[in-house]
Amino acid sequence: MMICSKALPLKHSLRLFLAAAVFLFAGTATAAPERVISTGHSITELVLALGAGDSLIAVDSSTRLPADFKKVPVIGYYRQLPVEGMLSQNPQLLIGGEQMGPANTLTLLENAGVKIVKLPEAENGEQLIANIDRLSKVLEKPAAELTKHVVAQLRELKRARTSLSEAPRILFVRAQEGRGLKAAGTGTSPDSLIRMAGGVNAVEFSGYKQLSDEALIELRPDWILFSSDQDAQLQGGAALLEWQPLLKLTPAGKNGAFCSVDGFALLGGMGLASLKEAKKLNEKFSGN
């Protein structure tokens, strides 16, 4: 009798507790995040393109926001995110690429109840569409229009690539006077951009590596690219010829085929800015 008299209220309480938990869980599971921090330019531009700008409360220093976008705090560089600075924004969700960190910062944020979502850095159009799809689910925003637009851009780029009579050899460099040139190999954002534009990376190694004087000639680049953040320093390529006179023996040096690409199109893998930049490069490669 004592067991029955205590068991009935316990079951009743348990039912009430489970019902409340299910109701609470259902409510939070379907609620879109209202306080989002986004890091990495390519990620943030997808957040905005999906229509989640109202939820954006802070970004990292690698992000370029539209000129007419609301002012939001900049919380540091995506590889070196500060715990205090981020928690002071009271975020629900932190979105970024695979390089976002450091790891101990992310752990502390998770322990504080912040949801962390890392997206792979897209190396091609398929991965970019996959990132759009995942972000749309995380942010609970429809992705059909954006996906349709990106698919159309990718289709146009594919057509433009096939229209090139021959894929040009491209060298993407980082340069410092007196320190030689570093070239971007496979597994880098410049390599993805070169391929998307219809070119062939003149180097076959992975990552960034220093080039010897002999290699500069042997690589025979038709075009030499550099990031827009070095545009003024490199004087549109004129400084490269001055620092590395051997470049004058290459097709790019003989033809003055230097090109600055939008540095934001190279941050965090392939993004919407990368598609626009690939189109511009393809037009240069084709002579249009």
Side-chain angles (χ1 to χ4, degrees), residues 85-101:
M86 301 191 73
L87 286 178
S88 67
Q89 302 302 322
N90 191 28
Q92 294 175 292
L93 172 64
L94 170 63
I95 304 172
E98 293 170 324
Q99 304 301 323
M100 180 172 64

Side-chain angles (χ1 to χ4, degrees), residues 104-255:
N104 61 331
T105 292
L106 301 186
T107 299
L108 290 170
L109 289 171
E110 280 188 310
N111 291 341
V114 180
K115 182 178 180 180
I116 310 289
V117 174
K118 279 189 173 184
L119 298 175
E121 292 191 356
E123 296 182 0
N124 52 49
E126 290 74 17
Q127 292 173 347
L128 173 58
I129 290 174
N131 280 350
I132 292 172
D133 183 60
R134 187 175 175 197
L135 261 184
S136 81
K137 291 180 172 62
V138 170
L139 298 169
E140 301 193 16
K141 295 289 184 181
E145 284 300 316
L146 177 58
T147 301
K148 180 180 177 182
H149 180 61
V150 169
V151 168
Q153 287 180 291
L154 292 171
R155 188 180 298 123
E156 174 59 24
L157 277 170
K158 183 178 181 180
R159 185 203 63 75
R161 286 195 297 270
T162 57
S163 68
L164 291 172
S165 58
E166 185 177 358
R169 293 173 58 81
I170 313 297
L171 191 63
F172 182 95
V173 300
R174 298 288 302 178
Q176 292 293 331
E177 185 175 9
R179 297 184 180 181
L181 304 181
K182 279 188 176 179
T186 59
T188 65
S189 292
D191 180 71
S192 299
L193 185 64
I194 290 168
R195 286 186 284 107
M196 190 166 282
V200 173
N201 197 336
V203 299
E204 297 180 347
F205 52 70
S206 63
Y208 282 84
K209 287 186 179 178
Q210 198 83 22
L211 294 177
S212 66
D213 290 347
E214 294 77 14
L216 286 176
I217 300 175
E218 293 173 357
L219 291 172
R220 296 175 291 103
D222 296 302
W223 283 85
I224 295 178
L225 312 182
F226 48 84
S227 174
S228 57
D229 69 286
Q230 289 207 296
D231 196 19
Q233 182 184 18
L234 299 183
Q235 304 170 31
L240 281 175
L241 290 178
E242 183 179 337
W243 298 348
Q244 296 288 343
L246 288 176
L247 284 177
K248 296 176 181 176
L249 302 177
T250 69
K254 292 176 182 176
N255 299 320

Side-chain angles (χ1 to χ4, degrees), residues 262-281:
D262 182 4
F264 288 96
L266 303 171
L267 293 172
M270 302 303 293
L272 302 181
S274 311
L275 298 182
K276 293 179 182 177
E277 207 63 14
K279 184 173 185 295
K280 290 179 184 176
L281 284 176

Side-chain angles (χ1 to χ4, degrees), residues 30-71:
T30 58
E34 296 178 347
R35 298 187 64 78
V36 178
I37 296 178
S38 178
T39 69
H41 180 75
S42 63
I43 303 296
T44 305
E45 66 181 359
L46 292 181
V47 172
L48 299 180
L50 286 166
D54 289 344
S55 302
L56 200 61
I57 59 167
V59 296
D60 82 313
S61 59
S62 78
T63 292
R64 176 181 60 190
L65 291 170
D68 59 350
F69 191 74
K70 63 183 180 181
K71 298 297 182 184

